[in-house]
Amino acid sequence: MSEIKRAVIYARFSSDMQREESIEVQVRACKEYCRKKRYVVTNVYVDEAKSARDVLTRDAYNQMLADAISHQFDVIIFHKIDRNARNEFNYYTFKHTLSTLGIGHEYAAQNIDFSPEGQMMESMLVGFAAYYSRNLAKETKKGLNENAYKAQFNGGRPPLGYKIVDKKYVIEPTEAEAVKLIFEMYLAGHGYGIIAHTLAAKGFKTRDGRNFGKNSLYDILGNEKYTGL
């Protein structure tokens, strides 16, 4: 009778066209795979809203590698290759590390074995995952550039004095008065301390409801969006 393998499951979802529910789908498929293989699942590692391009930002992934070094399990189960990595260097570095430790890795939804054909399929799927990631980044940047050309909102927090209406920057009158005063006083040669004191005396507050300080004034005066960029 063969020795029962200790398996762990790794699941991840990123923000690109995925939802948090996809974690449940991945884990369910991996558990069913382990049941059929008669593996004993000892842990489930989950990274939520994390990119596969940079493994350094994935806390659960890195904890899993640390546990692998201490030989806490025998095999890692992923749903698909793109849940592991979308970068060839990261993928094959990870594979080499596991091989050195004598730990296996398998995919619940992709039948990849150690035959020449299986290894060729693995290489192709790794390449497809890397291509998808890079193309997605390119298309996202293209969309952001197009929004910028149209002077549309590109995400983040609009600067003080503006609000967003139908993806367009619209002046927020009360905040705009504070911004105008800041620039007028700075151009007149007043320092940050005097400007902050004047704003407080007139009842102006930051968007967070605080008095203006040197850092907030510095950020406003250095924000290129106020020049129309």
Side-chain angles (χ1 to χ4, degrees):
M1 184 174 181
S2 60
E3 183 180 350
I4 296 176
K5 286 187 177 181
R6 300 167 300 166
V8 296
I9 294 169
Y10 177 82
R12 177 189 63 81
F13 91 94
S14 56
S15 57
D16 53 342
M17 305 292 290
Q18 292 181 331
R19 299 184 303 173
E20 198 166 352
E21 289 87 338
S22 71
I23 289 286
E24 299 175 7
V25 174
Q26 293 173 55
V27 172
R28 187 182 307 117
C30 290
K31 284 185 175 179
E32 176 61 17
Y33 176 86
C34 289
R35 186 189 67 80
K36 291 179 179 179
K37 299 279 285 189
R38 296 186 178 181
Y39 294 164
V40 176
V41 178
T42 61
N43 204 350
V44 176
Y45 301 89
V46 174
D47 276 316
E48 299 183 1
K50 296 292 186 180
S51 169
R53 290 189 294 272
D54 186 3
V55 297
L56 295 178
T57 65
R58 292 195 270 162
D59 296 335
Y61 190 90
N62 290 320
Q63 182 60 56
M64 180 178 68
L65 287 179
D67 293 344
I69 292 172
S70 59
H71 295 281
Q72 295 186 24
F73 48 81
D74 305 305
V75 60
I76 302 171
I77 310 300
F78 299 88
H79 185 232
K80 292 182 179 180
I81 276 180
D82 63 1
R83 298 304 87 196
N84 183 349
R86 287 183 181 169
N87 173 298
E88 297 94 336
F89 177 80
N90 288 340
Y91 185 88
Y92 288 110
T93 299
F94 167 82
K95 183 176 180 179
H96 175 72
T97 299
L98 291 187
S99 176
T100 302
L101 295 170
I103 294 174
H105 64 289
E106 300 175 13
Y107 299 98
Q110 292 169 326
N111 185 21
I112 299 173
D113 56 34
F114 290 98
S115 68
E117 294 79 11
Q119 295 303 288
M120 180 179 69
M121 178 60 70
E122 179 182 33
S123 297
M124 291 174 62
L125 291 172
V126 171
F128 287 145
Y131 166 77
Y132 174 85
S133 179
R134 293 179 184 123
N135 188 60
L136 178 65
K138 183 180 73 173
E139 292 302 316
T140 299
K141 185 175 181 180
K142 186 190 300 182
L144 292 174
N145 286 339
E146 186 61 26
N147 287 346
Y149 287 132
K150 295 177 181 178
Q152 291 184 343
F153 183 53
N154 250 335
R157 194 178 193 187
L160 189 73
Y162 290 99
K163 60 183 178 180
I164 305 302
V165 178
D166 296 328
K167 296 183 179 182
K168 292 284 187 179
Y169 287 92
V170 176
I171 292 176
E172 203 293 317
T174 302
E175 293 182 355
E177 288 300 315
V179 174
K180 290 178 182 177
L181 179 60
I182 291 168
F183 277 91
E184 287 172 357
M185 292 188 68
Y186 183 77
L187 290 173
H190 296 291
Y192 288 173
I194 296 298
I195 296 174
H197 178 77
T198 303
L199 290 168
K202 291 180 176 291
F204 289 117
K205 300 285 187 181
T206 66
R207 195 169 283 161
D208 296 325
R210 302 174 183 174
N211 288 330
F212 285 89
K214 292 182 179 180
N215 289 338
S216 55
L217 293 174
Y218 177 84
D219 290 341
I220 289 171
L221 291 167
N223 192 333
E224 292 180 317
K225 285 189 173 67
Y226 290 118
T227 68
L229 184 65

